[in-house]
Structure formats: structure tokens, C-alpha cells
Amino acid sequence: MGEVDAEIERFIRNLFDTMYAARGVGLAANQVGIARRVAVVDTGEDPAIVLIDPEIVDREGKHRAEEGCLSIPEIFGDVNRATRIIVETTSLEDGGRRQHELADLTARAVQHEIDHLNGVLFLDHLSPLKRRMLLKKWKKLRQGKPGYIEAVRAAS
Ligand code: ZN
């Protein structure tokens, strides 16, 4: 995505603000309509992490737990994720690549956000039947309401 500059730092601050306002634990740039490989995660269990061009270089374990998503509020499903990961990301400080070893909820949130950057929703990890059920529920819930991304645009 090019170099880390003041514009990206501003954008990342905005991502954190939007995520905290929505009471989320992670948010990817493309969830707010920006096509960049950038995401933020703050689960409260570990220091907040900025993901710039993130890549999971190692993963181990498997754990099933319920996930939700700011892009499809009020819809939840059980997803299998690795319990420990090593993620490589570009540092905001000097633009160099750094590896972070993460576990549990933070590892889960980082995997969820990297999925977003790859165009994958947590629903895509569920069985076709479960996914259809949840999408039906989501359609019902959002009738007449603006989507999450539209709401962000309206507020700016
Ligand atoms: Zn999400």
C-alpha cells in the first residue's frame, strides 16, 4: 500500500475512533469503504494493534467461539480459528516489518479483520445452511435501516 505517512496515521486514528464508537474490537478499512490493507484491533486483552499489509506467517491450534461483526450487526455465529498466530505487519514508527505473537481473543480478532481485507466475512466460515439462515435474519433485521457503511458516510 505504499509508505506509511501522516495521511495513513490520520486514517488509522479515524478507524480506531469509529471502532470504539461502535463498541467493536476490530475494524478493517474496507468496512468503511476504503480499499486499503489496513485494520485495527483492540480487544482490551492486549495492547491495541495496527495491521498494515498484515500477513499471518504462522498459526496453531483450533478453537470454536461466537463472533459478530460491525458490518452485520446483531448476527452471530460460531467460527473455528487458530488459537495462536504470528502476524507480520508494517510498523507505523519506521515502516519496517514486525512480527507479533498473539493468542486467544486478540488472535481471533486479527484473523477476523485479515479475512475482511481478503473479502471474507465470518459467515463464509459457516455451513451453507447456517449462513443462509443468518443472512435471512440479517435481511429481516435491516429492512428500512441504513447499512453500517452508509451510516458512517452520513455522519461525516
Ligand atoms: Zn467484521
Side-chain angles (χ1 to χ4, degrees), residues 31 68-71 112-113 116 121:
Q31 287 182 276
C69 181
L70 293 177
S71 291
H112 178 116
E113 296 314 321
H116 272 300
L121 286 178

Side-chain angles (χ1 to χ4, degrees), residues 50 54 60 97 149:
V50 175
E60 66 174 45
R97 299 289 281 175
I149 289 169

Side-chain angles (χ1 to χ4, degrees), residues 45-105:
E45 289 189 354
D46 297 292
I49 182 166
V50 175
L51 302 164
I52 301 173
D53 287 332
E55 193 190 340
I56 294 172
V57 295
D58 199 15
R59 62 180 80 217
E60 66 174 45
K62 192 167 111 176
H63 181 246
R64 192 174 178 80
E66 188 174 73
E67 290 187 16
C69 181
L70 293 177
S71 291
I72 38 173
E74 297 173 75
I75 298 291
F76 302 91
D78 287 341
V79 182
N80 283 320
R81 301 278 188 192
T83 46
R84 304 182 73 84
I85 60 168
I86 295 176
V87 65
E88 191 175 288
T89 179
T90 298
S91 164
L92 262 180
E93 272 149 49
D94 58 13
R97 299 289 281 175
R98 298 270 193 293
Q99 293 193 345
H100 304 270
E101 195 178 337
L102 304 169
D104 305 321
L105 183 58

